[in-house]
Amino acid sequence: MTNSFQNKAPLLEVDRLSVDYGLKGNSLRAIDGVSFVLRAGEAVALVGESGSGKTTTAMAIAGLLSPNARVSEGVVRYRGERLPIDDDAAMRPHRWSETSVVFQGAMNALNPVHRIVKQIAEPCMLKLGMSRAEATARAKELLELVGIPADRGAAYPHELSGGMRQRVMIAMALACRPSIIIGDEPTTALDVITQAQILKLLGELRSQLNLALILITHDLSVVAECCDRVMIMYSGRIVEDGTVAEIFADPKHPYTKLLIDSIPNPANGKKMIRPIPGDPPNLVNRPSGCAFHPRCPSAMAVCTTEVPSLDKFGQGRVACHLHQSLQNKVTVHA
Ligand SMILES: Nc1ncnc2c1ncn2[C@@H]1O[C@H](COP(=O)(O)OP(=O)(O)O)[C@@H](O)[C@H]1O
Ligand code: SF4
Ligand SMILES: [Mg+2]
């Protein structure tokens, strides 16, 4: 199956991006050579266990890295122009107006002492130069857009449900008319029904506003409905990238296969999430070769010494010696 976005110009290009965190004299490589392209209107899921580098990737793209982070390699381009993601001041004009982030846990991100309409109006005044009256009118429009009646804008965050608060976060993320929204586990703290409503809202906004979407989640089961493509991360690297149809029907990487197997499926009596055996890797002391080798049921000798590169495979990409050797065999016999 081809990806209908393949022929569109890239909106965002992440090119061999590596980010290290400084930690009490030590350094930890949180993402290592991450490369991908996002096109206008495309929805891509970034999936992996906790600690795999999903949030660091998002923060780097949005120019929101923490002060102890260092961009050690690579570039991020927006509409072909390099973003100064490691320069806080130079990044200011880009932040929230090109790419904005909807975080998990809206209660922590919202100011408890201000009415929500004021909190949405604030970025419109600061970034779009609107007067208070204009910004308030825009904030009310944004509330309606995310399914909250404008008169609820007078509420304080604690007066709203978790789902409503997450809608407010989405309204704030849209305030400066970005073309990319990153949802960093935007539904993790919500019940299943509210989770489905928020994902539906993001899908509707995406087509209404032609937004590109990066949906970050540890839960592969939520991506099928609302994404075109899935990128699987493990230990700071993308290990597989393919269309939703390819990933679910024919996963190539052993980690992707285990992630899919771990999804509960009432149709075949599998009710519980089956955790992947073994522990996620320690990034301070990353395993040699393929970082997944200590947990991989298909590991070979080469896996303990050589890092597999992320190579094109079919319509997507995969980083696994299993497929590299198969591909080489195909080339030899061709
Ligand atoms: N500000 C920070 N300082 C030091 N280490 C960090 C910081 N933020 C994240 N990390 C580490 O970087 C790695 C990747 O984290 P993160 O990008 O948050 O992963 P994910 O979002 O997939 O859970 C983890 O080992 C995490 O502990
Ligand atoms: S490279 Fe080796 S250890 Fe890594 S996923 Fe592939 S088979 Fe498993
Ligand atoms: Mg995270």
Side-chain angles (χ1 to χ4, degrees):
M1 187 182 176
T2 52
N3 181 346
S4 58
F5 293 93
Q6 261 167 357
N7 299 327
K8 293 195 175 166
L11 184 59
L12 182 81
E13 293 162 88
V14 178
D15 191 1
R16 283 163 288 173
L17 187 67
S18 299
V19 173
D20 295 303
Y21 288 110
L23 274 175
K24 294 180 193 144
N26 272 327
S27 153
L28 170 153
R29 178 147 295 194
I31 61 170
D32 190 22
V34 167
S35 294
F36 66 92
V37 168
L38 181 74
R39 294 167 203 277
E42 190 179 22
V44 176
L46 192 55
V47 182
E49 286 168 303
S50 175
S52 55
K54 306 180 298 295
T55 295
T56 304
T57 306
M59 293 309 192
I61 294 167
L64 294 169
L65 283 170
S66 60
N68 67 330
R70 192 172 65 89
V71 179
S72 36
E73 275 173 61
V75 293
V76 176
R77 290 184 210 93
Y78 178 79
R79 297 188 193 276
E81 264 182 52
R82 185 183 178 142
L83 289 177
I85 55 168
D86 46 1
D87 181 338
D88 190 48
M91 197 58 201
R92 204 160 293 144
H94 301 274
R95 219 172 270 139
W96 301 113
S97 43
E98 292 163 359
T99 300
S100 62
V101 187
V102 180
F103 299 100
Q104 178 185 350
M107 202 55 196
N108 301 332
L110 292 169
N111 188 327
V113 300
H114 290 308
R115 297 180 195 278
I116 56 170
V117 70
K118 186 174 175 205
Q119 300 193 52
I120 303 170
E122 206 78 9
C124 302
M125 289 162 65
L126 287 174
K127 302 282 286 192
L128 302 178
M130 289 180 169
S131 67
R132 180 165 294 281
E134 286 167 337
T136 304
R138 166 117 179 104
K140 289 182 176 173
E141 260 174 46
L142 285 163
L143 282 172
E144 295 275 353
L145 189 66
V146 299
I148 300 179
D151 59 4
R152 290 294 279 148
Y156 291 95
H158 73 268
E159 293 172 323
L160 300 176
S161 67
M164 288 291 220
R165 284 198 292 265
Q166 205 54 303
R167 285 173 192 264
V168 172
M169 293 301 296
I170 295 171
M172 284 174 82
L174 293 173
C176 303
R177 304 189 178 94
S179 41
I180 302 172
I181 294 273
I182 304 180
D184 190 356
E185 313 249 12
T187 62
T188 297
L190 305 173
D191 64 76
V192 180
I193 292 168
T194 315
Q195 176 171 319
Q197 289 167 348
I198 296 291
L199 292 175
K200 184 163 171 270
L201 171 67
L202 283 172
E204 286 165 358
L205 292 170
R206 176 194 162 202
S207 44
Q208 210 173 329
L209 307 173
N210 193 32
L211 288 169
L213 183 66
I214 301 179
L215 179 67
I216 293 183
T217 176
H218 62 275
D219 182 358
L220 194 52
S221 66
V222 307
V223 308
E225 294 295 317
C226 51
C227 293
D228 308 299
R229 227 170 79 210
V230 185
M231 297 190 297
I232 308 286
M233 273 194 103
Y234 190 81
S235 183
R237 298 188 184 122
I238 294 175
V239 295
E240 184 159 8
D241 171 10
T243 63
V244 166
E246 281 173 328
I247 293 281
F248 281 93
D250 186 18
K252 304 287 184 304
H253 197 282
Y255 177 60
T256 315
K257 288 183 187 174
L258 288 171
L259 276 180
I260 289 173
D261 281 350
S262 73
I263 299 174
N265 182 358
N268 62 14
K270 202 165 59 175
K271 295 201 183 83
M272 305 284 283
I273 289 188
R274 183 149 24 105
I276 297 174
D279 295 319
N282 171 354
L283 295 185
V284 178
N285 206 354
R286 196 184 248 116
S288 59
C290 170
F292 189 53
H293 85 254
R295 302 169 79 187
C296 179
S298 313
M300 305 169 282
V302 63
C303 306
T304 61
T305 53
E306 283 182 36
V307 178
S309 53
L310 182 63
D311 292 335
K312 223 174 145 20
F313 194 91
Q315 298 293 327
R317 299 177 297 167
V318 63
C320 172
H321 290 302
L322 215 53
H323 296 286
Q324 286 173 341
S325 51
L326 278 179
Q327 230 178 10
N328 290 342
K329 277 182 201 150
V330 170
T331 315
V332 169
H333 294 297

